[in-house]
């Protein structure tokens, strides 16, 4: 079954063609991140305006790169929330209209379920390894940091989530404090190269608590005070970045380790923009090998950050497992909860 996926939840406009929920025939992502580089954030109206301009060309490009015709598309999957309302509407209105014109169903997908499915994506010519539930998935991006226990594609239990900033937000806000470019994850990670992870002490958030929640705002505040009270630390940028990055990843890994102590799983997945982080991946690989579980992260960087291929894949599994639910009309919702 071939699906067209559409994702416009934040500043990106993405369209993808995915076969059977796994093989990515194309995954086109047009981002207006560069526009917002100086701002440490996104201006919603600007983002939506850009998306209106490039939505149709991006879909055209996705069909072309996948070498498929409109008539090959059997369903459309589109992100219905959560995200920026104006941006989401560009995607859902486009998806519904095309579905009407092409006489195919249009399935609404929760953005987070899209991220959870990103580890199923395989680039063209790649080998689709068997993936086995139960799975512990850490989904960490600029908007959320969630720990999930997954018994199936549509059987997910939230074990913990960030009480304040998301992990990606900690990178983004930290980069802003350090005058590094947005998005902060890649810039802090690059600046941290060769730095001493022990150079500066950062707190262990929520240590001593039983909950599997996260909290990142304290780390950001510690960085702020470090730079205020020790301005000379700016001369050791790699040390500051390495220590800050290590504190964020250590907190994420502590959450995974605690969950592994309490729940039996066969695999650990790390998804979302922050899963692109090399330091996190290396430390997670050590942790998972100690626990004897398989670690998976999305196979390419494009599947880590927001992309339409993961939405198409999640739409596919929804249609396969719950065909009636997939057919239901859906609303576009900026703050969509997981039912
Ligand atoms: O999933 P995503 O593309 O968008 C959201 O749904 O938020 O994630 C973007 C976030 C940003 O906060 C960015 O700083 C972070 O992912 N990110 C990274 C890296 N690449 C992107 N964080 C740490 N290390 C990276 N290499
Ligand atoms: Zn995302």
């Amino acid at each position: 079954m071939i699906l067209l996926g559409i994702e416009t939840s934040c500043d990106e406009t993405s369209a993808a063609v995915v076969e059977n929920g796994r093989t990515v025939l194309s995954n086109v992502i047009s981002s207006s991140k560069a526009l917002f580089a100086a701002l440490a954030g996104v201006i919603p109206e600007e983002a939506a305006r850009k998306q209106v301009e490039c939505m149709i060309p991006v879909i055209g490009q996705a069909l072309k790169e996948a070498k498929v015709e409109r008539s090959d598309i059997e369903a459309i999957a589109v992100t219905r929330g959560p995200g920026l309302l104006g941006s989401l509407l560009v995607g859902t209105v486009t998806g519904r209209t095309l579905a009407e014109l092409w006489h195919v169903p249009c399935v609404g997908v929760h953005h987070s379920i899209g991220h959870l499915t990103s580890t199923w994506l395989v680039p063209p010519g790649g080998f689709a390894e068997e993936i086995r539930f139960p799975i512990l998935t850490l989904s960490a991006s600029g908007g959320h940091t969630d720990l999930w226990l997954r018994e199936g594609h549509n059987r997910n239990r939230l074990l913990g989530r960030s009480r304040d900033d998301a992990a990606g937000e900690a990178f983004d806000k930290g980069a802003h404090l350090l005058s590094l470019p947005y998005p902060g994850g890649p810039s802090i990670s690059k600046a941290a190269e060769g730095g001493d992870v022990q150079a500066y002490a950062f707190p262990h958030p929520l240590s001593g608590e039983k909950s599997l929640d996260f909290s990142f705002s304290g780390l950001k505040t510690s960085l702020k005070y470090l730079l205020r009270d020790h301005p000379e630390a700016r001369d050791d940028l790699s040390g500051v970045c390495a220590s800050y990055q290590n504190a964020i990843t250590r907190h994420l890994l502590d959450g995974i380790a605690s969950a592994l102590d309490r729940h039996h799983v066969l695999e650990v997945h790390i998804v979302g923009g922050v899963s692109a982080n090399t330091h996190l991946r290396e430390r997670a690989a050590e942790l998972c090998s100690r626990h004897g579980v398989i670690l998976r992260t999305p196979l390419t960087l494009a599947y880590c950050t927001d992309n339409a291929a993961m939405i198409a894949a999640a739409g596919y599994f929804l249609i396969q497992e719950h065909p009636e639910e997939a057919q239901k009309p859906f609303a576009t919702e900026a703050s969509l909860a997981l039912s």
Side-chain angles (χ1 to χ4, degrees):
M1 185 180 201
I2 296 181
L3 265 83
L4 171 70
I6 297 175
E7 149 70 33
T8 58
S9 67
C10 188
D11 57 1
E12 70 297 318
T13 309
S14 180
V17 178
V18 177
E19 190 170 12
N20 295 333
R22 298 210 64 178
T23 309
V24 181
L25 303 180
S26 68
N27 187 30
V28 179
I29 305 167
S30 162
S31 170
S32 51
K33 270 200 170 50
L35 273 182
F36 307 114
L39 302 169
V42 172
I43 303 172
E45 292 80 3
E46 283 291 318
R49 239 191 305 278
K50 279 274 157 237
Q51 284 158 325
V52 169
E53 282 169 26
C54 57
M55 186 75 262
I56 295 297
V58 163
I59 291 175
Q61 184 72 18
L63 294 178
K64 194 171 150 202
E65 285 184 19
K67 299 192 179 64
V68 298
E69 304 292 329
R70 290 171 187 187
S71 54
D72 296 319
I73 302 296
E74 289 160 88
I76 296 175
V78 58
T79 306
R80 69 183 189 100
L84 304 173
L85 186 59
S87 298
L88 288 166
L89 282 169
V90 176
T92 51
V93 168
T94 308
R96 284 198 182 101
T97 310
L98 290 180
E100 200 70 38
L101 288 170
W102 298 353
H103 305 293
V104 294
C106 182
V107 186
V109 171
H110 193 292
H111 182 78
S112 295
I113 302 293
H115 276 299
L116 297 188
T117 317
S118 61
T119 33
W120 269 259
L121 298 173
V122 179
F127 175 65
E129 278 183 36
E130 191 196 350
I131 297 178
R132 291 188 301 157
F133 292 99
I135 299 167
L136 178 71
T137 303
L138 170 71
S139 182
S141 76
H144 63 268
T145 306
D146 301 334
L147 200 52
W148 293 94
L149 183 61
R150 311 196 67 207
E151 304 281 351
H153 282 289
N154 298 292
R155 288 169 60 205
N156 304 303
R157 196 171 120 210
L158 190 62
L159 298 178
R161 67 183 343 173
S162 180
R163 294 180 186 174
D164 40 57
D165 292 350
E169 212 174 343
F171 277 107
D172 296 337
K173 289 181 174 171
H176 192 60
L177 291 170
L178 291 160
S179 312
L180 292 171
Y182 172 83
S187 25
I188 288 191
S189 166
K190 188 158 185 290
E193 277 168 24
D196 177 6
V197 299
Q198 312 265 24
Y200 302 91
F202 282 93
H204 289 254
L206 308 184
S207 63
E209 272 201 32
K210 278 218 159 123
S211 111
L212 292 172
D213 281 347
F214 300 98
S215 167
F216 291 95
S217 65
L219 291 179
K220 172 205 62 195
T221 308
S222 298
L223 176 63
K224 191 172 156 191
Y225 290 154
L226 169 70
L227 298 173
R228 185 195 66 186
D229 300 340
H230 302 278
E232 72 284 359
R234 285 187 185 270
D235 299 331
D236 177 20
L237 186 63
S238 63
V240 174
C241 287
S243 306
Y244 185 61
Q245 171 176 252
N246 189 56
I248 296 171
T249 54
R250 180 178 63 196
H251 185 34
L252 292 171
L253 294 168
D254 284 349
I256 294 178
S258 306
L260 285 176
D261 287 340
R262 294 179 215 181
H263 300 279
H264 166 72
V265 295
L266 294 173
E267 306 197 358
V268 168
H269 293 192
I270 305 182
V271 301
V274 177
S275 71
N277 190 274
T278 314
H279 182 74
L280 174 65
R281 287 181 176 211
E282 287 169 2
R283 294 292 151 92
E286 290 161 15
L287 174 73
C288 289
S289 92
R290 278 202 301 279
H291 280 80
V293 291
I294 289 172
L295 171 69
R296 279 183 219 279
T297 48
L299 287 179
T300 76
L301 287 187
Y303 306 159
C304 294
T305 47
D306 291 345
N307 68 87
M310 67 185 193
I311 301 301
Y316 169 81
F317 290 115
L318 187 63
I319 293 171
Q320 292 300 308
E321 295 182 0
H322 300 282
E324 338 69 48
E325 201 185 313
Q327 300 251 339
K328 282 189 193 153
F330 61 86
T332 307
E333 288 178 62
S335 39
L336 178 65
L338 269 167
S339 51

